[in-house]
């Protein structure tokens, strides 16, 4: 048993199992209860299992150091591990760890997290890994964000990674990282030790004289806290326990016993968080320094470790040294550190703690440190530094407000809306002029949680912002977006056009570009204006402003017709450019565009691959829960689209329902409409006709009330007509046809073809099958007028009408052709529907319905081979054999191996 772990058998069992099987665990306990001792035991257990140990032990005084925890973690990786990373990630990591200077501009916020994920994945593939994080409550936010992101997406076998986190019992501590731990995840509490365990601990650490009777008093006095028990025992006089009022008092007394020089050196170390002997030599002369360090080691308070870093034997002792100093002594320590340390961020932090009144020099230092932190990718810290700069600003209210607003923007960019709102509340009182108040309201709009709140704030700000100002132009663009999402197309278009003009006048190219994109979106959704001209204007502006290629790649793919031969290439080129340039924040819009393009082209398998690639690349990581719901909904939309077409309807349905029910989505006509369309497609694919009609009727009402004509080229009207035909709701069918025709008139010719198909099906349902057949044959004989999936649906419709008309041979042939087309496209649920329709024709199924692979599987199974034997002979997996058998049974209308064998014998 390891020292300090007496009475912790349950915890050790959990940790041992964790190191054997992988997964995650969280140990929760009060200060001094033994978390660090458990971590030492975990290190030993991990090494016995052959795991490489990556350990992080942050201190309270390192919280303000950007990527301090990550720097410690990286020192545990094999030397040169980062060489395999993509260039932008490798550079971003080097900048974050201060191994390289920042280049012009900021490091993309996702570059460092992606680098950490890549390194962890790479290491786990080469050897099993144990990641140990002690005192999570002290880990800096930049490291928490990077590790949390990495742990969500380490692409390695689960047993290859074990993660153990120790933290204090605070529900708000490190929750973002804890919920990212791999499954299976365990959480356990380290409770006070029993008296016998305290006795064994004292005897192991302090000698045999601590017999059970003597240790009982210490156990009671410590309340079962092992660290406190050891401190009490050390402070006692020959076993007579004299208990101080608290652990704080006890530690203060222990610190007071140190020499003055020792306290001075240790105060510098605790204030700095991480200080080397070399750095201290620039402050304390050698004759005093070495004896001070020796005294600290003799007292068991601090030692010099790897890299000549002065480290405390327990985090509580570092806090005790700092707390024992007077305020004046602390300020002096920070002032000395500010004059000694090389890093600009550290100097600024220490200088801010050395003053008692506002100081513009300090404020300016903090502001420069914030910019440096942003350039390193530590946005959260940059926000904190800007807050400090605002508080340190002496009397210039405008300068102070500007720093507060930049802090708010920085927190927002980091995805921390809660802290951004808090900072805005602190600084908003400094806004006195109408334009300043408008700027405050603009931030509140960005941080609003729903569209009604955002619109109310935008209307207020619009009244305050002077016409012709930058704020006025920005608000015009924001209101245009809100109106578009709420279904007010006329006003959205009017506001967007005005925003374009005003933004150009004040030379805000970014606002002008956003306004043009709002204009283009409104024109397409409502079939108004000149969208092609708007697109050309955007391309011209993007070229003039030298904007990133990713934006043009998005525009040239997302807004293009389904059969544009260059759309897919534009999206893929944009993704490649973003990755090469390290612009990971652009990946979300590019991947949603690529997936939409692939689905429109009916390339379902490629869309599945793109969805997986997006997850690996971190494309959805920047998603936030803002009022627009855009970033947080793109992943949902992509996931639903792909899984629905690929046939996993249960997962697609669950996600679509969840997304459509979110308050943000409920308040957005645009996004709710998109998810209703997807839910309708899911239920139509499942042939749940009534369930499909419910969302599609609601969507039809939205289109009627808003006069929308398009929804990102989704042909949801086809599903509406299909479901309505199945239940005999002819009025719904006519409404669906009308919607498709309006969509076609607005520039979607494929919608007109779909409307003709639906009209033909309605004609057949009313008894005029000859006219319906003529119309459907004409549609199916026009290659390229529809995407492959819709073309297969047209064949399905033709086969259905052939069957209705009694043309069994033509019906069977057409329906089987439709089924084959669906199968080739990778859309299994629609293939099943076509095969089921073919089975209703009444013709005896033939072997011609089987593919070559299915024919070979059928022959082997019919001859008596097992699934395993068939798989081995055909060099395929058992699951593949089972999937082929399912299709074979359906196509040949047989239910067992015996029936299959009889069918094959009869056929031959």
């Amino acid at each position: 048993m390891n020292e300090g772990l007496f009475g912790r058998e349950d915890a050790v069992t959990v940790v041992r199992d964790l190191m054997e099987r992988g997964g995650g665990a969280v140990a929760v306990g009060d200060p001094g209860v033994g978390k660090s001792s458990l971590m030492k035991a975990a290190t030993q257990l991990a090494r016995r299992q052959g795991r490489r140990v990556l350990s992080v032990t942050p201190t309270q005084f390192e919280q303000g150091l950007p990527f301090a925890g990550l720097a410690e973690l990286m020192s545990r990786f094999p030397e040169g591990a980062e060489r395999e990373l993509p260039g932008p990630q490798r550079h971003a990591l080097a900048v974050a760890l201060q191994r390289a200077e920042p280049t012009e501009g900021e490091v993309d916020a996702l570059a460092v997290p992606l680098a950490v994920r890549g390194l962890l994945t790479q290491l786990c593939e080469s050897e099993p890994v144990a990641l140990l994080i002690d005192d999570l409550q002290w880990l800096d936010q930049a490291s928490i964000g990077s590790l949390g992101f990495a742990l969500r997406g380490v692409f390695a076998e689960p047993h290859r990674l074990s993660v153990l986190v120790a933290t204090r019992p605070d529900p708000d501590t490190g929750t973002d990282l804890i919920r990212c731990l791999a499954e299976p995840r365990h959480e356990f509490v380290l409770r006070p030790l029993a008296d016998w365990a305290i006795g064994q601990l004292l005897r192991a650490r302090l000698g045999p004289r601590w017999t059970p009777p003597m240790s009982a008093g210490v156990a009671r006095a410590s309340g079962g806290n092992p660290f406190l028990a050891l401190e009490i025992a050390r402070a006692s006089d020959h076993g007579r326990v004299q208990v101080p009022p608290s652990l704080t008092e006890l530690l203060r007394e222990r610190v007071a016993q140190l020499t003055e020089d020792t306290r001075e050196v240790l105060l510098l170390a605790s204030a700095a968080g991480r200080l080397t002997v070399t750095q201290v030599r620039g402050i304390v002369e050698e004759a005093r320094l070495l004896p001070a360090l020796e005294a600290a080691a003799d007292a068991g308070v601090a030692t010099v470790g790897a890299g000549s870093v002065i480290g405390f034997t327990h985090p509580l002792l570092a806090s005790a040294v700092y707390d024992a100093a007077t305020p004046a002594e602390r300020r002096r320590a920070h002032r000395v550190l500010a004059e000694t340390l090389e890093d600009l961020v550290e100097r600024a932090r220490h200088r801010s703690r050395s003053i008692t009144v506002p100081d513009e020099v300090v404020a300016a230092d903090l502001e420069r440190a914030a910019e440096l932190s942003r350039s390193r990718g530590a946005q959260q810290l940059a926000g904190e530094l800007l807050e400090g700069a605002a508080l340190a600003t002496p009397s210039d209210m405008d300068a102070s407000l500007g720093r507060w607003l930049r802090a708010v923007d920085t927190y927002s960019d980091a995805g921390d809306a809660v802290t951004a709102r808090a900072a805005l509340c602190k600084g908003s009182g400094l806004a006195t002029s109408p334009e300043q108040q408008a700027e405050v309201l603009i931030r509140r709009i960005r941080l609003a949680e729903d569209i009604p709140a955002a619109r109310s704030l935008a209307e207020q700000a619009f009244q305050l912002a002077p016409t012709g100002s930058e704020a006025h132009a920005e608000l015009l663009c924001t209101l245009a977006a809100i109106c578009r999402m709420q279904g007010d197309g006329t006003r959205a278009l009017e506001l967007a056009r005005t925003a374009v003009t005003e933004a150009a006048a004040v030379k805000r190219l970014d606002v002008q570009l956003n306004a043009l994109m709002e204009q283009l979106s409104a024109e397409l959704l409502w079939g108004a204006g000149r969208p092609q001209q708007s697109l050309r204007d955007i391309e011209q502006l993007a070229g003039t402003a030298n904007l990133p290629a990713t934006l043009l790649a998005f525009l040239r793919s997302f807004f293009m017709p389904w059969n544009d031969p260059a759309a897919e290439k534009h999206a893929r080129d944009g993704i490649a450019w973003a990755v090469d340039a390290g612009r990971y924040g652009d990946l979300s819009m590019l991947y949603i565009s690529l997936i939409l393009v692939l689905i429109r082209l009916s390339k379902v398998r490629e869309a599945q691959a793109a969805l997986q690639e997006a997850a690996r690349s971190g494309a959805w990581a920047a998603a936030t829960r803002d009022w627009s719901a855009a970033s947080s909904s793109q992943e949902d939309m992509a996931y639903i689209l792909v899984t629905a077409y690929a046939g996993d309807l249960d997962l697609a349905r669950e996600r679509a329902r969840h997304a459509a029910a979110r308050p943000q989505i409920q308040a957005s006509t645009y996004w709710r409409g998109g998810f209703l369309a997807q839910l309708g497609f899911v239920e139509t694919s499942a042939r749940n006709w009534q369930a499909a009609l419910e969302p599609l009727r609601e969507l039809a009402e939205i289109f009627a009330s808003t006069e929308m004509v398009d929804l990102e080229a989704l042909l949801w009207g086809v599903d509406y007509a299909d479901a309505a035909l199945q239940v005999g709701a002819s009025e719904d069918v006519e409404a669906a046809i009308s919607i498709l025709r309006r969509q076609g008139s607005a520039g979607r010719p494929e919608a007109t073809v779909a409307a003709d198909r639906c009209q033909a099906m309605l004609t057949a349902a009313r008894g005029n099958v000859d006219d319906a057949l003529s119309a459907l044959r004409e549609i199916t004989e026009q290659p390229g007028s529809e995407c492959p999936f819709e073309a297969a649906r047209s064949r399905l419709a033709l086969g259905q009408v052939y069957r209705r008309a009694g043309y069994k041979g033509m019906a069977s042939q057409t329906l089987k052709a439709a089924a084959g087309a669906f199968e080739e496209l990778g859309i299994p649920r629609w293939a099943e529907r076509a095969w089921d329709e073919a089975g209703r024709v009444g013709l005896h199924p033939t072997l011609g319905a089987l593919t070559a692979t299915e024919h070979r599987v059928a022959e082997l199974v019919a001859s008596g081979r097992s699934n395993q034997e068939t798989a081995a002979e055909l060099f395929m997996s058992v699951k593949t054999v089972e999937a082929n058998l399912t299709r074979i049974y359906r196509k040949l209308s047989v239910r067992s191996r015996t029936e299959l064998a009889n069918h094959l014998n009869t056929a031959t």
Side-chain angles (χ1 to χ4, degrees), residues 55-261:
S55 60
V56 184
T57 309
T59 69
Q60 177 182 357
F61 305 95
E62 293 175 309
Q63 278 188 301
L65 299 179
F67 298 110
L70 186 57
E72 183 180 358
L73 180 71
M74 285 302 302
S75 68
R76 319 294 187 196
F77 273 84
E79 186 176 354
E82 66 276 9
R83 292 172 189 156
E84 300 299 319
L85 293 173
Q89 294 177 28
R90 188 170 61 250
H91 175 71
L93 186 62
V95 170
L97 302 180
Q98 301 181 47
R99 298 173 182 172
E101 290 300 317
T103 52
E104 185 177 349
E106 298 174 10
V107 170
D108 190 290
L110 286 176
V112 174
L114 281 168
V116 178
R117 173 192 285 184
L119 287 171
L120 271 177
T121 299
Q122 175 184 307
L123 189 58
C124 287
E125 288 173 349
S126 64
E127 58 183 314
V129 175
L131 173 60
L132 310 180
I133 304 174
D134 197 2
D135 281 320
L136 178 63
Q137 71 277 359
W138 302 137
L139 189 61
D140 65 279
Q141 284 299 316
S143 296
I144 284 179
S146 297
L147 285 172
F149 175 88
L151 292 174
R152 279 199 305 274
V154 173
F155 296 98
E157 296 178 23
H159 69 275
R160 304 285 287 180
L161 178 63
S162 301
V163 184
L164 177 61
V165 174
T167 186
R168 293 184 183 179
D170 181 349
D172 297 325
T173 294
T175 53
D176 290 343
L177 189 147
I178 289 174
R179 62 169 165 255
C180 298
L181 295 185
E183 298 290 349
R185 187 172 72 218
H186 305 279
E187 185 167 329
F188 56 93
V189 177
L190 295 178
R191 303 193 183 281
L193 292 179
D195 289 2
W196 67 266
I198 291 290
Q200 285 192 323
L201 171 65
L202 295 180
R203 285 189 289 278
R205 296 288 294 274
L206 303 180
R209 72 187 183 89
W210 287 96
T211 59
M214 291 177 61
S215 62
V218 175
R220 288 192 299 272
S222 67
N225 184 299
F227 181 78
L228 180 55
L230 287 168
E231 291 300 311
I232 291 172
R234 287 191 181 103
S236 66
D237 181 18
H238 302 295
R240 294 192 300 275
V241 179
Q242 297 176 351
V243 184
S246 66
L247 177 58
T248 301
E249 181 70 23
L250 186 64
L251 292 176
R252 184 178 291 116
E253 289 181 5
R254 186 171 177 188
V255 170
Q257 294 172 9
L258 299 172
T259 66
E260 183 178 346
D261 287 347

Side-chain angles (χ1 to χ4, degrees), residues 495-557:
L495 289 166
R497 287 170 175 165
T498 307
V500 171
T501 303
E502 288 201 14
V506 296
K507 294 182 171 51
R508 279 291 300 273
L509 296 183
D510 57 333
V511 177
Q512 185 180 356
L513 184 64
N514 288 336
L516 276 170
M517 292 179 68
E518 282 299 331
Q519 178 179 305
L520 174 62
S521 294
E523 287 172 339
L524 290 171
L525 294 176
W526 276 272
R530 300 166 60 197
Q532 291 306 313
Q533 181 59 49
S534 296
L535 184 57
R536 285 192 290 271
D537 290 344
I538 292 172
E539 291 182 337
Q540 182 180 359
L541 179 63
T544 302
N546 196 28
L547 293 173
T550 49
L551 177 64
L552 287 178
F554 169 75
L555 292 170
R556 291 168 177 168
S557 54

Side-chain angles (χ1 to χ4, degrees), residues 394-426:
S395 58
D396 187 341
M397 292 179 62
D398 290 348
S400 183
L401 176 63
R403 285 161 174 163
W404 277 115
L405 294 182
R406 284 197 293 280
V408 172
D409 294 341
T410 303
Y411 287 133
S412 296
D413 292 343
D416 189 349
V418 173
T419 307
R421 291 189 191 101
L424 189 58
C425 287
K426 296 173 187 174

Side-chain angles (χ1 to χ4, degrees), residues 333-557:
H334 287 298
R335 188 161 50 248
V336 169
L337 289 168
E339 295 168 355
T340 304
L341 299 177
E342 295 181 2
D343 183 65
L344 175 64
V345 176
E346 289 189 73
R347 290 205 309 267
R349 285 179 58 250
H350 288 298
R351 192 164 285 121
S352 69
R353 295 179 181 181
S354 69
I355 60 173
T356 55
V357 294
D359 185 319
E360 179 56 34
V361 173
V362 173
D365 283 351
L366 288 166
E367 193 168 28
R368 284 191 293 272
E371 293 307 311
L372 180 58
S373 294
R374 282 184 68 106
S375 71
R376 291 174 177 170
Q379 291 182 314
Q380 192 78 23
L381 175 61
E384 294 171 9
L385 291 166
L386 282 167
E387 279 200 64
L391 290 169
T393 305
S395 58
D396 187 341
M397 292 179 62
D398 290 348
S400 183
L401 176 63
R403 285 161 174 163
W404 277 115
L405 294 182
R406 284 197 293 280
V408 172
D409 294 341
T410 303
Y411 287 133
S412 296
D413 292 343
D416 189 349
V418 173
T419 307
R421 291 189 191 101
L424 189 58
C425 287
K426 296 173 187 174
S428 58
L430 298 173
T432 54
S433 70
E435 190 163 4
Q436 288 176 334
Q437 291 169 357
E439 289 288 351
V440 169
L441 286 172
I442 286 173
R443 270 72 178 183
R444 286 185 176 161
I445 294 165
R446 294 173 187 164
L447 295 168
E449 295 182 323
D450 57 62
I451 288 182
R455 182 161 191 166
S456 175
L457 291 166
E459 298 285 6
Q460 294 176 48
F462 193 65
Q463 299 301 317
L464 290 169
T467 302
S469 65
E470 292 185 23
H472 196 266
E474 188 172 350
L475 285 163
L476 281 167
C477 186
T478 300
L479 277 169
I482 291 172
C483 290
R484 172 177 60 83
M485 291 190 190
Q486 288 190 316
D488 189 350
T490 301
R491 188 159 187 234
L493 195 51
E494 176 188 347
L495 289 166
R497 287 170 175 165
T498 307
V500 171
T501 303
E502 288 201 14
V506 296
K507 294 182 171 51
R508 279 291 300 273
L509 296 183
D510 57 333
V511 177
Q512 185 180 356
L513 184 64
N514 288 336
L516 276 170
M517 292 179 68
E518 282 299 331
Q519 178 179 305
L520 174 62
S521 294
E523 287 172 339
L524 290 171
L525 294 176
W526 276 272
R530 300 166 60 197
Q532 291 306 313
Q533 181 59 49
S534 296
L535 184 57
R536 285 192 290 271
D537 290 344
I538 292 172
E539 291 182 337
Q540 182 180 359
L541 179 63
T544 302
N546 196 28
L547 293 173
T550 49
L551 177 64
L552 287 178
F554 169 75
L555 292 170
R556 291 168 177 168
S557 54

Side-chain angles (χ1 to χ4, degrees), residues 799-872:
Q800 289 172 317
V801 177
Y802 270 137
R803 182 174 58 79
R804 184 189 293 269
Y807 300 120
K808 292 187 177 182
M810 295 297 292
S812 179
Q813 179 182 349
T814 305
L815 290 168
K816 288 175 182 177
F822 286 128
E823 286 183 340
E824 185 176 348
L825 294 172
I827 310 176
R829 300 302 287 267
W830 285 82
E832 290 175 10
R833 180 177 175 183
W835 282 118
D836 289 347
E837 291 284 349
R840 296 172 61 192
V841 171
L843 293 178
H844 194 278
T846 68
L847 295 180
L850 303 182
T851 65
T853 299
E854 290 166 350
H855 202 285
R856 291 198 299 273
V857 170
E859 288 179 332
L860 290 171
V861 170
S863 68
R865 304 285 210 292
S866 67
N867 287 359
Q868 289 81 0
E869 291 169 337
T870 301

